[in-house]
Amino acid sequence: MLHTINKSPFENNTFTTCVRFLQPGDPVLFIEDGVYAVQAGNRFGALIQSVLKKNNPVYALKPDLDARGISAIAEGVKTVDYAGFVDLVEEHQVSSWL
Amino acid sequence: MLHTINKSPFENNTFTTCVRFLQPGDPVLFIEDGVYAVQAGNRFGALIQSVLKKNNPVYALKPDLDARGISAIAEGVKTVDYAGFVDLVEEHQVSSWL
Amino acid sequence: MNIGILLKEGPYNHQAADTAFKFAEAAIAKGHKVDAIFLYNDGVINATRLGDPPQDDRNIAARWTELSLKHGVEVLACIAASKRRGINDEVMIEGGEITGLGTLTDIAIRNDRLLTFGD
Amino acid sequence: MNIGILLKEGPYNHQAADTAFKFAEAAIAKGHKVDAIFLYNDGVINATRLGDPPQDDRNIAARWTELSLKHGVEVLACIAASKRRGINDEVMIEGGEITGLGTLTDIAIRNDRLLTFGD
Amino acid sequence: MSEEQDIKKIMHVMRRAPHGSIYTYEGLEMILIMAAYEQDLSVAFIGDGIYALKKDQDTAGIGIKGFSKTFMALDGYDVEKLYVDRQSLEERGLTEDDLVVDVEVMDASEIGRLMNEQDVVIHH
Amino acid sequence: MSEEQDIKKIMHVMRRAPHGSIYTYEGLEMILIMAAYEQDLSVAFIGDGIYALKKDQDTAGIGIKGFSKTFMALDGYDVEKLYVDRQSLEERGLTEDDLVVDVEVMDASEIGRLMNEQDVVIHH
């Protein structure tokens, strides 16, 4: 199952909550304000790495990163555009953590 | 200055952020979903006590507590109804932390 | 005491409109003047008269009309915010009016308090 | 792949309507069928044709009309949610329609995916 | 294709506190309608979502219609899979006894496993 | 009463990230109008609010008009009191150099002291 997260982890606990429910292998896609989670050097780096280590691929929506001026992102995080988002949805059912 | 907080502290960091900006003596009023902060026995009890200890009076809006089934509240927290909310606004300018 | 209110969320979806009303009602009951309720962001959706809530629910639009007609509270929707969200004179509640952000500034200046309700 | 979309926030105030549109556009471009966009909660405000955004901004209502007319996407607003927020047939965008939650259930059942966008 | 294959597993996830916003209430309205369609429905209460089930809610003072008791009607619609996240309950200082309906209190990993089996997941 | 007494101290507090919601953008529109009224305006950036000032935002891909550069216009409207909360900046891995305008980076207690002196505080 693909989990999408659209909230900034600095103001809202959606990301930390979602992580507790993640199953091994499930991809996580950050969109909208959620993409702040993957900015390199912020305090969520360790949590991102722990998710990656459990074999959960982590993606961030490139247009949302660009819109927010985020160019340096945490190691191991992949970016997708809207077409790549569609590809992920082809492969997985979706749980959108609003 | 009266500071109002209307978000649950479990999902959103408004309360913890507001505390950093509080000046000595400033009252804090929890309204709407913010009132979950003062439920007795939850994990925000220590933060509430630290605010009280800095001489910041803490209030919660009684109708909002009742609506959420909260009867036991943290020690030292006072309740007000809408008329009491008006009284606080008479005494103070207001900063509503949305 | 003269009070202005800034309301930043639409009716029903968030409690802000309810709290703003309850506060205004209590302030008026205590003899204060509620000068104006200024609707901003999604708050402008409070100004449509096309709302048709369930019979057993509160009617939030009717509350604003009552505050306006009975208690002289100006109910004002920001024009720029209204345009984005499909609020205009065609759908405006009785007692409500479209205006600009300059009016909000006047409200902030001429009242003893400006309170914000939102999400 | 057949896709249904559930949109839970109004236009402009949250990015949800933009992301939903961009996703639908990309899915259609890749040859998928976007069956329906169901508007719920404040999402029903996407269905008003009275919106008048600034000239240099996107027109979100026009996007839904385009998806409906050009790509056969059903644009559906929940009746109960619409009534609370002043959305009805009078103000409905071209290509949009008011319907019930039963229709959303059908959409959930008949499509390969149901995606939610909101706040 | 058997009829069986047309039955979808749909999970509703309640995540917000009641009254401060309408999401949980309108979510419940959605569940009640979907219940008539004989799908495999479940409802998970995570984070502030569990507050919707709190006993003794009296909304008269805020002028909003309460709906906690409507959750008690779910049973009559054959919506019997109500899951509550244990950690969410504990960190709010609540126990099962504080809730208006019988629920299954589960670990996040178990609710996550069930979420993973769904055809449709809707967060409210 | 002197004219002086009619000048109000009004602080706008930016607290949300740009683009995910419209609050910061519509807040900025409010500030630009208020700037014409010759009041004592200030703008504080707290929490995600500082992201609105991030350099190199390119919103073409999301189809939303960007507005970070509009903050550069505030100076021309004599809105010169721009305060940024130091902790918010640091925990986001940002420095002053990452921002599109010159700001005063301050401790929360100092911004709190200034907030306390205001006649009107509006959080966006």
Side-chain angles (χ1 to χ4, degrees):
Chain A
M1 179 153 293
L2 171 69
H3 297 263
T4 70
I5 294 169
N6 75 339
K7 294 281 197 317
S8 164
F10 290 95
E11 302 289 354
N12 190 285
N13 299 329
T14 305
F15 176 32
T16 48
T17 300
C18 171
V19 165
R20 294 200 291 115
F21 293 83
L22 269 186
Q23 300 295 297
D26 278 358
V28 176
L29 169 63
F30 290 99
I31 66 172
E32 301 176 351
D33 290 343
V35 300
Y36 288 113
V38 307
Q39 180 158 30
N42 76 20
R43 65 179 166 82
F44 289 92
L47 186 56
I48 296 278
Q49 294 311 318
S50 80
V51 170
L52 285 166
K53 259 178 210 146
K54 285 181 205 145
N55 290 318
N56 296 100
V58 178
Y59 300 90
L61 197 60
K62 185 72 163 50
D64 279 319
L65 288 167
D66 293 343
R68 289 158 182 84
I70 304 172
S71 47
I73 64 174
E75 212 188 310
V77 175
K78 285 169 246 173
T79 65
V80 290
D81 58 8
Y82 292 103
F85 185 177
V86 175
D87 291 339
L88 287 168
V89 172
E90 266 187 77
E91 291 165 41
H92 306 273
Q93 294 291 358
V94 186
S95 180
S96 301
W97 292 74
L98 302 182
Chain B
M1 179 153 291
L2 171 68
H3 297 263
T4 70
I5 294 169
N6 74 339
K7 296 280 196 318
S8 163
F10 290 96
E11 303 289 353
N12 191 283
N13 299 329
T14 305
F15 177 32
T16 49
T17 299
C18 172
V19 166
R20 295 200 290 116
F21 293 83
L22 269 187
Q23 299 296 297
D26 278 358
V28 176
L29 169 63
F30 290 99
I31 66 171
E32 301 177 351
D33 289 344
V35 299
Y36 288 113
V38 306
Q39 180 158 31
N42 76 20
R43 65 178 166 83
F44 290 92
L47 186 56
I48 296 277
Q49 294 311 319
S50 81
V51 170
L52 286 166
K53 260 178 210 146
K54 285 181 206 145
N55 290 318
N56 296 100
V58 178
Y59 301 89
L61 197 61
K62 185 74 163 46
D64 279 319
L65 288 167
D66 292 344
R68 289 159 182 83
I70 304 172
S71 47
I73 64 173
E75 212 188 309
V77 175
K78 285 169 247 173
T79 64
V80 290
D81 56 9
Y82 292 104
F85 185 177
V86 175
D87 291 338
L88 286 168
V89 171
E90 264 188 79
E91 291 165 41
H92 306 274
Q93 294 292 357
V94 187
S95 180
S96 302
W97 291 76
L98 302 182
Chain C
M1 182 173 60
N2 294 336
I3 302 170
I5 290 175
L6 173 62
L7 175 53
K8 288 163 60 70
E9 293 293 336
Y12 307 104
N13 208 93
H14 294 91
Q15 199 186 341
D18 297 284
T19 308
F21 173 74
K22 289 284 186 185
F23 178 87
E25 203 180 38
I28 291 165
K30 289 178 78 80
H32 299 295
K33 176 179 165 65
V34 176
D35 177 44
I37 296 184
F38 191 91
L39 309 172
Y40 200 52
N41 305 129
D42 269 359
V44 298
I45 296 157
N46 282 281
T48 177
R49 61 169 167 70
L50 301 183
D52 181 17
Q55 289 290 339
D56 59 349
D57 199 356
R58 75 254 191 233
N59 187 320
I60 294 180
R63 288 174 169 178
W64 304 132
T65 293
E66 189 197 317
L67 281 187
S68 169
L69 303 188
K70 243 174 91 178
H71 301 286
V73 179
E74 290 191 64
V75 178
L76 305 165
C78 168
I79 183 159
S82 293
K83 281 185 151 193
R84 285 196 183 93
R85 296 158 178 94
I87 301 298
N88 61 27
D89 288 332
E90 271 185 66
V91 303
M92 182 56 53
I93 52 171
E94 203 186 338
E97 215 177 306
I98 305 259
T99 183
L101 286 164
T103 309
L104 174 65
T105 316
D106 286 333
I107 292 166
I109 294 171
R110 76 180 178 230
N111 286 288
D112 303 305
R113 297 288 183 276
L114 181 70
L115 262 85
T116 310
F117 295 93
D119 174 43
Chain D
M1 182 173 58
N2 294 336
I3 302 170
I5 290 175
L6 173 61
L7 175 53
K8 287 163 59 71
E9 293 295 336
Y12 307 106
N13 208 93
H14 294 91
Q15 200 187 340
D18 297 284
T19 308
F21 172 75
K22 289 283 185 185
F23 179 87
E25 203 180 38
I28 290 165
K30 289 178 79 81
H32 298 296
K33 177 178 164 63
V34 176
D35 178 45
I37 295 184
F38 191 91
L39 309 172
Y40 199 53
N41 306 127
D42 269 358
V44 298
I45 296 158
N46 283 281
T48 177
R49 62 171 165 69
L50 301 183
D52 181 17
Q55 289 292 338
D56 59 349
D57 199 357
R58 75 255 190 232
N59 187 321
I60 294 180
R63 287 174 171 178
W64 305 132
T65 293
E66 189 198 317
L67 282 186
S68 169
L69 302 187
K70 242 175 92 176
H71 299 287
V73 179
E74 290 191 65
V75 178
L76 304 165
C78 168
I79 183 159
S82 293
K83 282 184 152 194
R84 284 196 183 94
R85 295 158 178 95
I87 302 299
N88 61 25
D89 288 333
E90 271 184 66
V91 303
M92 183 55 53
I93 52 171
E94 202 186 340
E97 215 177 307
I98 306 260
T99 182
L101 285 164
T103 309
L104 174 65
T105 316
D106 286 332
I107 292 166
I109 294 171
R110 76 181 176 228
N111 286 287
D112 303 305
R113 298 287 183 276
L114 181 69
L115 262 85
T116 310
F117 295 93
D119 174 42
Chain E
M1 272 208 285
S2 70
E3 278 261 307
E4 192 72 3
Q5 286 183 281
D6 286 341
I7 292 184
K8 291 234 173 176
K9 292 171 83 72
I10 303 176
M11 177 182 276
H12 293 269
V13 188
M14 307 316 236
R15 303 245 320 286
R16 321 240 192 170
H19 318 310
S21 63
I22 203 171
Y23 301 104
T24 301
Y25 177 64
E26 287 193 333
L28 181 56
E29 288 193 332
M30 187 186 284
I31 294 166
L32 291 171
I33 299 290
M34 285 199 175
Y37 284 69
E38 302 190 346
Q39 303 297 303
D40 181 359
L41 291 193
S42 57
V43 188
F45 298 84
I46 294 176
D48 279 356
I50 61 169
Y51 282 136
L53 300 177
K54 176 80 179 62
K55 276 182 188 163
D56 302 321
Q57 297 181 42
D58 174 5
T59 58
I62 59 170
I64 295 178
K65 206 175 48 153
F67 61 95
S68 61
K69 293 197 169 115
T70 311
F71 284 104
M72 294 157 85
L74 287 176
D75 195 49
Y77 286 86
D78 292 325
V79 180
E80 289 157 352
K81 297 173 178 171
L82 306 183
Y83 312 131
V84 164
D85 171 48
R86 189 184 313 278
Q87 181 176 323
S88 300
L89 201 61
E90 287 174 358
E91 65 184 9
R92 283 164 184 76
L94 298 175
T95 69
E96 274 185 81
D97 289 342
D98 291 308
L99 310 183
V100 290
V101 286
D102 285 340
V103 297
E104 293 175 65
V105 179
M106 291 177 174
D107 290 335
S109 60
E110 180 64 7
I111 294 177
R113 199 185 57 69
L114 292 167
M115 189 183 283
N116 223 23
E117 293 173 355
Q118 304 296 312
D119 297 304
V120 173
V121 178
I122 300 174
H123 291 251
H124 293 285
Chain F
M1 271 207 285
S2 70
E3 278 262 308
E4 193 72 3
Q5 286 182 280
D6 287 341
I7 292 184
K8 291 235 173 174
K9 293 171 81 74
I10 303 177
M11 177 183 276
H12 293 269
V13 188
M14 308 315 238
R15 303 246 320 286
R16 322 240 191 170
H19 318 312
S21 64
I22 202 170
Y23 301 104
T24 301
Y25 177 64
E26 288 193 333
L28 181 57
E29 289 192 332
M30 187 185 285
I31 294 166
L32 291 172
I33 299 289
M34 285 200 174
Y37 283 69
E38 302 191 346
Q39 302 299 302
D40 181 1
L41 291 193
S42 57
V43 188
F45 298 84
I46 294 175
D48 280 357
I50 62 170
Y51 282 135
L53 300 177
K54 176 81 179 63
K55 275 181 188 165
D56 301 322
Q57 297 181 43
D58 174 4
T59 59
I62 60 171
I64 295 178
K65 206 174 52 154
F67 61 95
S68 61
K69 291 195 171 117
T70 310
F71 284 103
M72 293 156 85
L74 287 176
D75 194 49
Y77 287 85
D78 292 325
V79 180
E80 288 157 353
K81 295 173 180 172
L82 306 183
Y83 312 131
V84 164
D85 170 49
R86 189 185 314 278
Q87 181 176 324
S88 299
L89 201 61
E90 287 174 359
E91 65 186 9
R92 283 163 184 77
L94 299 175
T95 69
E96 275 186 80
D97 290 342
D98 291 307
L99 309 183
V100 290
V101 285
D102 285 340
V103 298
E104 292 175 67
V105 179
M106 292 176 174
D107 290 335
S109 60
E110 179 64 8
I111 294 176
R113 198 186 56 71
L114 292 167
M115 190 183 283
N116 223 23
E117 293 172 356
Q118 304 296 313
D119 297 303
V120 173
V121 177
I122 300 174
H123 291 250
H124 293 285

